[in-house]
Amino acid sequence: MTADRRLLVDTDTGSDDAMALLLAAGSENAAIEGVTICAGNAPFDQQVENAKYTLELAGVDPPVHEGARTPLLKEHEYADDVHGESGLGELSPETDIDSADEHAVDYLVRVARENAGEFTLVCLAPLTNVALALAREPDLPDLLEEVWIMGGAAFAPGNVTPAAEFNFWADPDAARMVCARLEPTLVDWGVCVRDGTVDTEFFDRVRALDTPLARFFSDALSHVRAYNREMNGADSAAIPDALTVACLLDPDLVVESTAVGVAVDEREGLTRGALVVDESERTFDSRVELIGEADGAGFERALLETLGRGT
Ligand code: RIB
Ligand code: CA
């Protein structure tokens, strides 16, 4: 039986990506039909293993396709300070699972053409693979049912520079192209900080679950948690990719969203990767549905429900 939501997930498998994959894999009304890997958080081959390990732990085995190992034009930079060298905190998994032969970009274009209007594309990484797929298939916007993106910093400071969030900063040329064409639902860094950040009390509740997925959560997010303690003096962790998937799977978690015009600054310099939002929708041609508020308590409930299962 085909799930309500047929998902293609593009990821740079850091700790929050992994939690997003757990939520999607555990959903009764969605199925991950393919995973594509893009240059981002950690060394590329480790990201590939992180994805395979997470999917195996979640009890699913969609094909994992390897994609772009560098941004379109910029030099690649990792976010290993945040997620740890492996991208998955204390873990550096190695699996014996093979990657699919087909390049991620060829795969995305092919399955979108073969299943026109069927797939929801979930973008949890820099948008290099998606931009390349757009270049290969200009009709991609008409071939996808929906596009959800975690990225950008709207009306809020970024997490890489004051102007920019990592996914948009790492490959601003790709972000500019994708936002201009795919009219995505956008979960930006601002709403993730406000409504997608968990604290000590939540970490304690997860530890008390004492299940394999709960232990995975604690181990994978250990570095992000330590980073925030050191940098912000708070025992907390934003889990942006997981909030994105949680909102996609349960629309009731979206408290407020607005159609806005946007532009992304691809130029090198202080505002590289900046997301500029025009609420009047008059200035820019690119449209996104920007989620302004999410139900943080509902997000935590969704995480606890998934982590509390066996495997
Ligand atoms: O800025 C947060 C985003 O960058 C998340 O997708 C995280 O995994 C990193 O890729
Ligand atoms: Ca990510």
Side-chain angles (χ1 to χ4, degrees):
M1 181 186 79
T2 306
D4 304 352
R5 282 265 193 191
R6 302 179 65 189
L7 304 180
L8 299 172
V9 182
D10 189 64
T11 176
D12 58 342
T13 342
S15 49
D16 63 317
D17 303 69
M19 301 310 132
L21 290 171
L22 291 187
L23 286 174
S27 170
E28 287 168 5
N29 61 9
I32 304 174
E33 295 197 22
V35 174
T36 52
I37 309 295
C38 182
N41 285 314
F44 189 89
D45 291 332
Q46 186 62 62
Q47 289 182 172
V48 174
E49 292 306 303
N50 293 348
K52 293 171 178 176
Y53 178 81
T54 303
L55 293 164
E56 189 176 41
L57 201 60
V60 294
D61 62 350
V64 175
H65 293 259
E66 300 180 19
R69 291 173 176 257
T70 60
L72 294 181
L73 298 173
K74 303 295 186 192
E75 287 296 312
H76 178 60
E77 294 196 37
Y78 299 124
D80 50 6
D81 51 339
V82 178
H83 296 275
E85 229 171 273
S86 72
L88 217 50
E90 295 165 22
L91 306 170
S92 299
E94 285 182 28
T95 72
D96 56 6
I97 301 169
D98 291 334
S99 296
D101 292 337
E102 195 175 18
H103 188 279
V105 174
D106 295 332
Y107 167 76
L108 289 173
V109 170
R110 177 176 61 80
V111 295
R113 284 172 176 165
E114 292 173 356
N115 302 273
E118 290 290 319
F119 282 116
T120 294
L121 177 60
V122 187
C123 309
L124 306 177
L127 290 158
T128 317
N129 284 339
V130 182
L132 290 169
L134 257 178
R136 287 287 307 276
E137 176 49 85
D139 290 340
L140 193 63
D142 302 326
L143 298 176
L144 294 170
E145 185 194 22
E146 269 193 86
V147 179
W148 281 64
I149 294 176
M150 191 282 132
F155 314 120
N159 56 11
V160 177
T161 69
E165 170 279 330
F166 177 76
N167 287 339
F168 278 28
W169 180 88
D171 194 340
D173 302 282
R176 186 165 184 258
M177 284 171 64
V178 170
C179 288
R181 299 284 317 284
L182 286 178
E183 299 203 341
T185 298
L186 190 67
V187 179
D188 84 298
W189 178 246
V191 72
C192 294
V193 170
R194 295 188 300 272
D195 303 325
T197 297
V198 298
D199 60 13
T200 311
E201 187 268 336
F202 182 81
F203 280 107
D204 292 344
R205 290 175 69 187
V206 170
R207 191 172 57 246
L209 293 172
D210 195 23
T211 62
L213 295 185
R215 286 189 288 275
F216 176 56
F217 176 93
S218 302
D219 293 345
L221 274 98
S222 58
H223 198 96
V224 176
R225 193 176 173 186
Y227 175 83
N228 279 320
R229 270 200 298 267
E230 186 189 331
M231 301 300 281
N232 310 323
D235 182 22
S236 64
I239 321 180
D241 294 341
L243 180 66
T244 302
V245 168
C247 289
L248 155 63
L249 295 173
D250 179 1
D252 290 342
L253 295 184
V254 179
V255 175
E256 182 271 326
S257 73
T258 318
V260 294
V262 296
V264 178
D265 187 348
E266 83 289 352
R267 296 167 302 175
E268 199 52 62
L270 277 179
T271 54
R272 164 179 159 172
L275 172 70
V276 186
V277 177
D278 168 23
E279 293 179 282
S280 73
E281 294 194 70
R282 281 196 299 270
T283 316
F284 305 131
D285 297 335
S286 309
R287 285 283 171 287
V288 304
E289 184 70 17
L290 179 66
I291 294 182
E293 184 182 350
D295 173 0
F299 170 52
E300 291 191 357
R301 283 196 299 274
L303 277 174
L304 290 169
E305 199 276 324
T306 296
L307 298 175
R309 295 189 198 131
T311 55

